[in-house]
Amino acid sequence: MDRKSEGEAGMKTIIEATELNRWYGIVMGLNNVSFKIESGLTGLVGPNGAGKSTLIQIITGQLKPSSGKLTVFGESPWNNPALTRRVGYCPEGEAVPQDLRPLDWLKGLGLISGISPSEVVPRAEAMLDKVGLRREHWPKRMGEYSKGMKQRIKLAQGLLHQPELIVLDEPMNGLDPMGRQEVANMLKQLVHDGVSIIISSHILAELESLCSSILVLNWGRVLASGNQKEIRGDIKNWSEELSIRCNAPEVLARHLFDAGMLQGFDLDPEESILHIRVKNAELFYASWLGLLLGSGVIVYSIQSESRSLRNIFDKVTT
Amino acid sequence: MFTWKSQLTLKKLPISLLSILGLPVLMILTTQSPESWALSHRPKMGSASGYMNGISKRLKPAGLSLEPELRAQIIAIAFEEYQATEKSWQTPDGREMDPAIMEASIQATHARIRDRVKPLLDEKVFAEFVEFQKPKFNQQPITLENGLWTRTSPFYRLLVDLYLFLVLPMSCVRTCGAVIRDELENDTLGFLTTRPIRRATQLVVKFLAHTTWLQIWMLLQVGLLFLVGYIRHIPDLQQLIPVFLGVQVLAVCSWCALGLFLGMVSKKYMPLALLYGGLIEMGIGSIPTNINTLSMMRQMKALLGHNVELENFFNWPDISTGVPVLVLILAVPLFVTLAAFLFTFREYHHANEVQR
């Protein structure tokens, strides 16, 4: 069965962690973490220090677990070249060899990865084209590259040996909106081709639109996992949060408060925005049109914060 | 491959030139040509007044003495003859005269002094004078090669003591110690360790690339040093070059392997190398038992001792280590294996590297 048909056939577990712990001296990186990641595109979400990079480095065989077990495609990743052949990695940060040209670097990495000398140059060139690094930049040394260009070349080296799983640590950093869209499209295409992707990012809106499932990490623990619907379903009794831009936010706040709908509110007089937390979302949405009309204020826009991934992330990490 | 490519940049050219030209420039400044050495270090007969003082000392125990006028006459004779002889030693090209000719002229000088002094002295005093003169007939002039610091001293000292035993080991340890440490510091190690190749294999390949690079670089460096030697007319250079190059090739391999191992042990591999140098090379290496075989420098001295010029110059103690080549060769797989073992089983990551 080829990758594509495997992808179409359904999800399968590619990574499994059981009571995984990782310590740095007395500092805890991962704390008794157990989870499964299935094929497809999975987002790793969490603030700095949450344990995302530690987890990524264990998955890619750069770190060993202090205790517990993590397997990728059923194998331990540490010092396992057979497994590494199936995994691609794009690290966080801007670090690339400053004095090398991208094609030289990719050629070297390609040869190390077992690509034949005759195949390595066309493959490297194809990858540079694929990540959108324009040919006029190829003769430059990578030290002269912008942040966005470095991201693209890092992506290219991760894709070079055509892995089955690609682990991307903050790959969108430094890319302009068009570049982000290009990379997002490329990732979607890879997933369509049967490649699994794990992506960590602080740009949550992008993960929301990209990822089939999410793993939320904080303080070295997995706080929630699954698809976005499941995560929302897991967390009961969330209050609904809305931002309403109108001509008289104070009047509207008083009106809603008198109606017994509000758990709390914040005013932003400069922007004429009222941020509200409603007690009972179901009841509120049943009567909200009447309530707004009854207040007599002119409403310009209403935005639900609770429906975004950002809100889910904030909820589970605070 | 990465090593070679990243070394060949215009940005690094000034530093590279400075590092490779520094020592040859120092050598050419401190090693004089035979001509300039001869001008500043002419062979001398000695001092005429010192000659007179010697005669007075000889006469005193016998209860004899010389009148001041007579003393002045003898000093004048000695001075004239010494000067004439020293002048005869000056060759047109500034080169040193044949020692045998110089010895003959010394004997002739003293004979002339004796003949000129004889009519001035009474028999008893002249007999003492002849006794005083006897050892003078075997006097050696102060020549280019019989002083403590000879013309070739700076060349040999810089070539062996500074270059072979300091610059070369430090360059090797610095370069190969940084094989993984620089990748860690720059946070680029992840690109390599996530490739489908064993860590040990990666390390060995990187070691070979760095060592080959250093062999070429050091060959260039020592070539310049020997060029200075040729310009400065260092004797028997053609005999020294093959021995020295052989030792250098072995030394680069051994020091690189040591550097690789120390780099895997600690981020502070340079201080560690200095500690190793003090403890093993200077300390254990100078203990007169078989344990000194552990010193790689001692093995190198044993090999260099095959060159007569170096052996005579440094006067190294008799080093009979048996198989110095074997020891230097065996050091390479030993240190590389230890380094590969550490790299395979120990974690190396950027966060630790920049924190400590």
Side-chain angles (χ1 to χ4, degrees):
Chain A
M1 187 186 283
D2 65 11
R3 273 192 211 165
K4 189 168 179 176
S5 55
E6 216 174 53
E8 284 166 353
M11 307 289 241
K12 60 169 188 170
T13 300
I14 53 167
I15 296 175
E16 185 167 4
T18 314
E19 295 174 355
L20 182 67
N21 287 289
R22 170 67 208 198
W23 297 81
Y24 299 99
I26 57 164
V27 179
M28 185 185 291
L30 287 173
N31 182 11
N32 205 33
V33 168
S34 297
F35 62 86
K36 285 181 183 178
I37 293 178
E38 294 181 328
S39 54
L41 213 160
T42 303
L44 277 184
V45 187
N48 287 336
K52 299 190 303 293
S53 290
T54 299
L55 180 58
I56 283 176
Q57 290 190 32
I58 292 175
I59 290 171
T60 52
Q62 298 176 75
L63 291 179
K64 289 186 278 193
S66 301
S67 68
K69 192 179 169 190
L70 180 134
T71 58
V72 180
F73 298 123
E75 295 180 55
S76 166
W78 176 261
N79 202 23
N80 187 344
L83 176 66
T84 320
R85 195 176 296 280
R86 303 169 68 186
V87 180
Y89 170 59
C90 172
E92 191 187 1
E94 292 178 53
V96 287
Q98 304 287 304
D99 297 321
L100 290 175
R101 294 183 176 88
L103 213 51
D104 292 332
W105 190 44
L106 292 193
K107 271 158 60 181
L109 290 177
L111 291 170
I112 294 174
S113 304
I115 301 170
S116 68
S118 60
E119 202 188 338
V120 73
V121 175
R123 180 89 69 89
E125 288 176 347
M127 285 305 146
L128 289 177
D129 283 332
K130 189 168 190 170
V131 297
L133 188 73
R134 294 206 304 272
R135 283 181 177 252
E136 69 223 47
H137 298 307
W138 293 9
K140 293 179 190 169
R141 293 183 194 274
M142 290 187 284
E144 300 166 30
Y145 277 15
S146 69
K147 200 173 175 180
M149 287 155 77
K150 285 177 185 170
Q151 283 293 11
R152 288 171 194 270
I153 180 77
K154 283 196 309 174
L155 264 172
Q157 64 79 34
L159 301 170
L160 188 66
H161 57 293
Q162 297 177 327
E164 294 169 49
L165 166 67
I166 300 169
V167 184
L168 310 168
D169 201 352
E170 308 273 0
M172 304 291 195
N173 275 1
L175 294 176
D176 55 34
M178 197 179 286
R180 286 175 186 176
Q181 193 54 51
E182 283 171 19
V183 171
N185 291 341
M186 188 184 74
L187 297 181
K188 282 175 185 170
Q189 183 58 46
L190 285 167
V191 172
H192 182 260
D193 293 343
V195 177
S196 294
I197 296 173
I198 294 173
I199 178 169
S200 83
S201 177
H202 286 106
I203 305 163
L204 300 171
E206 277 160 358
L207 284 192
E208 193 172 23
S209 62
L210 266 176
C211 298
S212 52
S213 60
I214 303 282
L215 200 70
V216 185
L217 285 165
N218 198 17
W219 301 110
R221 300 186 72 104
V222 174
L223 299 181
S225 65
N227 62 39
Q228 292 175 45
K229 199 174 171 183
E230 284 169 349
I231 291 173
R232 287 199 191 92
D234 286 346
I235 304 166
K236 306 284 185 193
N237 301 320
W238 285 12
S239 63
E240 187 72 6
E241 292 183 9
L242 293 167
S243 294
I244 304 171
R245 200 161 72 83
C246 58
N247 66 336
E250 301 91 343
V251 175
L252 182 60
R254 168 60 62 187
H255 184 74
L256 294 174
F257 194 80
D258 289 345
M261 287 289 174
L262 296 191
Q263 193 178 44
F265 67 90
D266 295 305
L267 281 170
D268 183 352
E270 283 183 15
E271 298 288 329
S272 289
I273 293 177
L274 173 66
H275 301 282
I276 59 170
R277 293 181 292 283
V278 298
K279 283 179 182 170
N280 187 321
E282 202 175 342
L283 183 64
F284 176 79
Y285 283 120
S287 56
W288 72 292
L289 271 175
L291 282 166
L292 292 181
L293 286 170
S295 69
V297 299
I298 302 166
V299 175
Y300 303 122
S301 67
I302 302 173
Q303 191 176 350
S304 167
E305 300 295 335
S306 307
R307 298 294 164 185
S308 70
L309 186 57
R310 168 88 247 171
N311 190 261
I312 296 170
F313 173 68
D314 289 344
K315 288 288 178 192
V316 295
T317 57
T318 52
Chain B
M1 190 182 96
F2 294 154
T3 309
W4 295 41
K5 286 270 183 186
S6 59
Q7 295 293 338
L8 301 170
T9 63
L10 277 176
K11 201 171 67 182
K12 289 185 178 172
L13 191 65
I15 293 175
S16 303
L17 282 177
L18 202 69
S19 71
I20 203 165
L21 292 176
L23 202 53
V25 167
L26 184 65
M27 193 178 261
I28 208 158
L29 288 176
T30 53
T31 308
Q32 287 180 281
S33 65
E35 292 81 3
S36 62
W37 177 266
L39 284 173
S40 57
H41 296 78
R42 278 182 193 157
K44 301 243 187 295
M45 281 294 296
S47 150
S49 53
Y51 189 82
M52 188 61 242
N53 288 341
I55 297 170
S56 299
K57 276 183 190 167
R58 174 85 199 181
L59 294 176
K60 205 173 179 181
L64 302 169
S65 65
L66 293 173
E67 293 295 316
E69 274 183 21
L70 199 55
R71 285 169 60 92
Q73 277 182 300
I74 294 172
I75 288 173
I77 290 168
F79 182 76
E80 277 174 28
E81 292 299 335
Y82 274 17
Q83 243 191 354
T85 305
E86 284 170 8
K87 203 174 175 184
S88 74
W89 287 344
Q90 287 176 26
T91 54
D93 59 359
R95 285 181 188 276
E96 193 177 301
M97 191 171 268
D98 187 325
I101 298 172
M102 289 168 86
E103 275 174 33
S105 70
I106 286 170
Q107 288 169 9
T109 305
H110 287 297
R112 284 198 305 274
I113 293 172
R114 185 187 58 204
D115 294 345
R116 288 178 67 184
V117 162
K118 191 178 178 183
L120 304 174
L121 304 176
D122 61 40
E123 249 179 58
K124 212 172 175 183
V125 174
F126 183 69
E128 288 294 334
F129 178 80
V130 169
E131 286 304 311
F132 161 75
Q133 257 205 334
K134 270 183 184 169
K136 295 275 180 194
F137 279 85
N138 298 321
Q139 180 190 336
Q140 295 289 314
I142 304 162
T143 63
L144 300 187
E145 304 298 336
N146 64 5
L148 280 175
W149 188 256
T150 64
R151 184 181 74 83
T152 53
S153 295
F155 177 80
Y156 289 128
R157 290 283 170 202
L158 290 175
L159 181 73
V160 177
D161 286 344
L162 187 64
Y163 170 70
L164 186 67
F165 289 156
L166 189 69
V167 172
L168 187 137
M170 297 303 260
S171 303
C172 292
V173 171
R174 169 69 189 93
T175 304
C176 286
V179 160
I180 296 300
R181 291 289 162 187
D182 277 2
E183 298 274 7
L184 270 175
E185 201 175 311
N186 298 332
D187 200 13
T188 51
L189 186 64
F191 293 118
L192 298 172
T193 53
T194 54
R195 295 285 142 191
I197 180 171
R198 291 210 170 271
R199 285 171 170 238
T201 314
Q202 253 179 54
L203 193 74
V204 171
V205 170
K206 274 178 95 63
F207 167 74
L208 290 175
H210 280 76
T211 306
T212 310
W213 171 256
L214 266 173
Q215 291 285 13
I216 294 168
W217 190 249
M218 289 299 167
L219 211 60
L220 203 61
Q221 170 90 79
V222 81
L224 288 174
L225 297 180
F226 281 127
L227 183 67
V228 173
Y230 174 75
I231 292 167
R232 290 302 194 220
H233 300 284
I234 299 298
D236 298 326
L237 211 55
Q238 63 275 22
Q239 268 105 54
L240 175 62
I241 290 173
V243 177
F244 196 89
L245 289 186
V247 172
Q248 173 166 312
V249 168
L250 287 171
V252 168
C253 292
S254 313
W255 294 128
C256 280
L258 175 73
L260 185 78
F261 170 63
L262 295 179
M264 298 317 299
V265 170
S266 169
K267 177 189 173 186
K268 294 183 170 58
Y269 54 89
M270 287 307 280
L272 206 60
L274 291 175
L275 188 70
Y276 172 90
L279 206 68
I280 306 291
E281 298 300 337
M282 315 293 271
I284 290 176
S286 57
I287 297 173
T289 61
N290 280 348
I291 197 171
N292 61 29
T293 310
L294 292 173
S295 161
M296 293 200 287
M297 278 185 186
R298 199 175 167 83
Q299 311 300 331
M300 290 167 204
K301 284 176 187 172
L303 290 172
L304 289 174
H306 288 103
N307 179 263
V308 179
E309 289 290 330
L310 286 183
E311 180 61 32
N312 290 341
F313 181 80
F314 284 100
N315 198 20
W316 283 315
D318 184 35
I319 301 170
S320 51
T321 47
V323 279
V325 175
L326 193 67
V327 172
L328 289 174
I329 289 174
L330 282 179
V332 178
L334 173 73
F335 286 128
V336 172
T337 306
L338 288 172
F341 181 82
L342 283 174
F343 191 49
T344 302
F345 295 104
R346 196 175 161 196
E347 280 177 357
Y348 293 89
H349 54 96
H350 175 67
N352 280 2
E353 194 71 8
V354 292
Q355 271 170 15
R356 273 181 287 160

